[in-house]
Amino acid sequence: MKNITIISIITILLTAKTLYSQNENDALLFSQQQVFGSAKYMSMGGAFNALGGDFATTSHNPSGLAFYQNNEILLSSSFYLNNSTSYFDNLSNDHYHSGFNISNLGIVLSNNNINNKSNWKRVNFAIGWNKLADYNQNIRIEGFNYQNSLVDYILSNAQGKNIENLDPFFTLPAFNTYLIDSLSSNQYFANVSSNSVKFQEHLAISSGSQNEFVISLASSYNEKIYLGVTIGFPIINYYHRIQHTENNFSDTINNLEEFQYEEELSVYGNGLNIKAGAIMRLSEKTKIGVSAHSPTIFNIKDNYNTFITTFKDYVYESASPYNIFNYELITPWKSIFGLSSTPYKNILISADYEIIDYSFLKMHSDYYSFTHENNNIKDAFKKTHNIKIGNEIRIKPFSLRMGYNYFGSPYKENDFSTESYSFGASINSGGYFIDLTYVLTQQGNIYTIYEDNSLPIQITNHNFVCSLGFRY
């Protein structure tokens, strides 16, 4: 028979602070970047470390800003169509999500009025923002499960704990809604038979993005060496919601018909970093570029809560408290090397090579040590290598572009690499330009519904980007 227990608010808050901080996979999510920015930048796969004249370089190699010889205003917008395909119970489930957003926005001011006797030809200034990552993705999984249930995981976490010590975000709501019940003060049983046939439906909704406000300065030395620096202020806005439902039980205890588990996580963060770079013109046809990105120091605020509903003879509901948790995240260094060449007058080829060591990630809080999570980071993540390749064919006033990039897997044990293919075209009248780009991104991954229930998923994202710019 169920005992009614009152848990003090102090106990709830202390438990929340230690149990519901971000884990190592969330730290990885907020440290990874994708190829976003202007349509021109994206169409060439982001291979711009030895190129210039595009606002997106302020977040990658700011020395590219030194190539500008005119003022410019730029706006880039995009339409995305994201698809996830999951494989469960010998069935595939597709889920689509679409929307519009801004890819970048900025203004460049070029000062060419420097003393003609000086080898420093100009000083350029830029301010604006670039999109660094997109978190919009929905995953739907459904099918019959004959082997286990989410209740098994809840039950294993409850066993051996007195009722007053049950987790207020997970096991206590399950106890309050009769999903699990007590045999004694610290032993429990589930009202779902794990080996019985049951229908499971799992929906994970993610939204948000990471954008960076940039202030950049660059200069050209004798049109042979280009130097630049950016102070970046990245901002994280992330929302994640899970709704897990189980019903159509072939065998339950106490006439349980259905239960729903819901989880919400809202994340807001702001950070600071510095980027510096240089491009050297080896000849009229060839340039090399190098840039370095300092770690970003993020201050992050989480808001987390859960909700469980069961359907028996009555409807039972139980909500967790709202947990607000603050912590710091330090991302890895990034080094980038680039090469560009114009083997023929109207043909441009460029390539970038990036190095990032994700085992460098660090999490810190005044309320929680993060020792376990930081050790997991060192054990699970590794140094990875990214490759970007771009090509442009110019037939004035038109240009055709294509690109490819490969982002290596940050995991030691699994190959979760990402590939993107891009195609673009533009018209440039001198005073204005319009760029159009399509980007296809594909990635395989493993999604864990709960412990002992993981399955493969395939992520396919489509991006259509349009940039409009004015020079004066």
Side-chain angles (χ1 to χ4, degrees):
M1 180 164 181
K2 183 174 293 293
N3 296 316
I4 299 176
T5 305
I6 299 176
I7 299 183
S8 70
I9 294 177
I10 294 177
T11 303
I12 291 175
L13 292 178
L14 290 176
T15 304
K17 284 182 178 179
T18 56
L19 292 179
Y20 290 98
S21 56
Q22 293 279 11
N23 60 36
E24 62 275 8
N25 290 317
D26 295 310
L28 176 66
L29 174 67
F30 299 138
S31 66
Q32 288 184 302
Q33 297 179 3
Q34 302 146 18
V35 177
F36 287 105
S38 69
K40 179 180 179 180
Y41 178 84
M42 295 174 68
S43 67
M44 296 184 64
F48 260 76
N49 206 57
L51 295 174
D54 190 282
F55 185 84
T57 60
T58 55
S59 286
H60 301 278
N61 186 349
S63 61
L65 177 65
F67 284 79
Y68 276 94
Q69 299 186 37
N70 298 283
N71 301 332
E72 180 180 287
I73 298 175
L74 172 71
L75 171 64
S76 302
S77 62
S78 67
F79 169 78
Y80 63 86
L81 176 63
N82 299 338
N83 168 248
S84 65
T85 303
S86 62
Y87 303 91
F88 183 65
D89 189 30
N90 296 319
L91 298 173
S92 63
N93 296 282
D94 289 288
H95 201 284
Y96 294 88
H97 181 63
S98 62
F100 290 89
N101 54 44
I102 302 298
S103 192
N104 74 345
L105 171 66
I107 182 170
V108 177
L109 301 176
S110 180
N111 180 11
N112 288 292
N113 297 322
I114 297 178
N115 189 337
N116 291 333
K117 295 181 181 180
S118 173
N119 288 323
W120 295 98
K121 300 303 180 184
R122 58 187 165 274
V123 175
N124 294 343
F125 173 79
I127 187 169
W129 67 276
N130 295 304
K131 185 176 182 180
L132 301 181
D134 184 272
Y135 303 131
N136 292 290
Q137 192 73 62
N138 293 352
I139 298 173
R140 178 181 289 276
I141 300 165
E142 59 182 31
F144 286 95
N145 187 320
Y146 307 84
Q147 299 177 334
N148 50 54
S149 167
L150 175 62
V151 184
D152 300 334
Y153 184 56
I154 295 174
L155 184 64
S156 66
N157 279 271
Q159 297 293 21
K161 298 177 182 177
N162 293 330
I163 296 172
E164 60 270 18
N165 293 325
L166 289 177
D167 172 1
F169 293 87
F170 199 48
T171 52
L172 182 61
F175 179 78
N176 290 338
T177 56
Y178 295 89
L179 198 54
I180 61 173
D181 212 333
S182 58
L183 290 168
S184 62
S185 61
N186 61 2
Q187 293 296 313
Y188 306 87
F189 68 92
N191 282 318
V192 173
S193 176
S194 61
N195 294 324
S196 67
V197 179
K198 66 193 73 68
F199 186 80
Q200 294 182 329
E201 182 179 4
H202 185 92
L203 178 64
I205 299 173
S206 298
S207 62
S209 60
Q210 184 178 151
N211 300 292
E212 183 173 59
F213 177 75
V214 295
I215 300 174
S216 302
L217 193 68
S219 185
S220 166
Y221 182 81
N222 208 27
E223 302 297 355
K224 290 185 177 180
I225 298 176
Y226 306 85
L227 303 175
V229 63
T230 289
I231 300 176
F233 304 90
I235 298 172
I236 296 170
N237 275 297
Y238 177 71
Y239 173 78
H240 184 68
R241 179 173 177 266
I242 290 175
Q243 180 175 309
H244 180 90
T245 303
E246 296 187 19
N247 53 32
N248 291 336
F249 302 106
S250 63
D251 180 24
T252 65
I253 304 170
N254 293 332
N255 299 317
L256 179 67
E257 298 175 4
E258 179 181 307
F259 77 87
Q260 294 177 353
Y261 169 79
E262 297 180 55
E263 176 181 300
E264 278 189 313
L265 173 66
S266 297
V267 179
Y268 175 81
N270 56 76
L272 175 67
N273 61 54
I274 297 176
K275 303 177 181 70
I279 297 175
M280 177 179 291
R281 191 184 296 273
L282 299 181
S283 67
E284 286 300 316
K285 294 185 176 182
T286 304
K287 297 188 290 292
I288 58 172
V290 60
S291 61
H293 297 188
S294 76
T296 298
I297 301 176
F298 279 112
N299 291 303
I300 296 179
K301 179 180 180 180
D302 288 354
N303 194 325
Y304 177 87
N305 68 283
T306 61
F307 192 86
I308 293 181
T309 306
T310 58
F311 300 85
K312 299 176 60 179
D313 46 347
Y314 297 100
V315 177
Y316 298 91
E317 298 177 337
S318 181
S320 74
Y322 282 85
N323 173 49
I324 298 175
F325 186 80
N326 296 280
Y327 68 100
E328 288 185 355
L329 171 65
I330 302 175
T331 68
W333 286 87
K334 180 191 289 187
S335 301
I336 312 174
F337 305 91
L339 173 68
S340 67
S341 179
T342 52
Y344 301 98
K345 182 178 179 180
N346 298 326
I347 297 178
L348 169 66
I349 300 173
S350 63
D352 286 0
Y353 174 70
E354 300 180 348
I355 303 173
I356 311 171
D357 189 353
Y358 288 104
S359 66
F360 180 86
L361 274 166
K362 294 288 188 302
M363 306 173 76
H364 173 265
S365 173
D366 293 335
Y367 306 102
Y368 180 59
S369 68
F370 280 108
T371 301
H372 177 71
E373 289 79 5
N374 287 328
N375 287 335
N376 285 346
I377 287 171
K378 293 179 181 179
D379 293 339
F381 303 146
K382 65 176 182 178
K383 180 186 296 183
T384 190
H385 311 272
N386 303 332
I387 297 172
K388 303 175 181 178
I389 300 172
N391 173 245
E392 180 183 61
I393 301 174
R394 302 175 189 139
I395 308 172
K396 290 187 176 180
F398 302 101
S399 295
L400 299 176
R401 305 183 183 101
M402 63 185 68
Y404 167 81
N405 58 63
Y406 170 87
F407 282 43
S409 174
Y411 294 94
K412 291 181 179 179
E413 301 296 331
N414 297 292
D415 182 11
F416 295 147
S417 56
T418 303
E419 291 184 298
S420 294
Y421 305 86
S422 53
F423 307 90
S426 73
I427 180 170
N428 188 341
S429 74
Y432 73 90
F433 59 89
I434 301 174
D435 295 336
L436 300 173
T437 293
Y438 165 71
V439 183
L440 170 66
T441 303
Q442 296 176 314
Q443 181 190 34
N445 213 323
I446 299 294
Y447 183 84
T448 300
I449 302 176
Y450 50 84
E451 190 174 304
D452 298 325
N453 193 358
S454 299
L455 63 155
I457 60 171
Q458 181 69 35
I459 303 296
T460 303
N461 296 335
H462 307 268
N463 268 282
F464 302 86
V465 189
C466 176
S467 293
L468 176 63
F470 298 93
R471 297 191 181 102
Y472 59 97

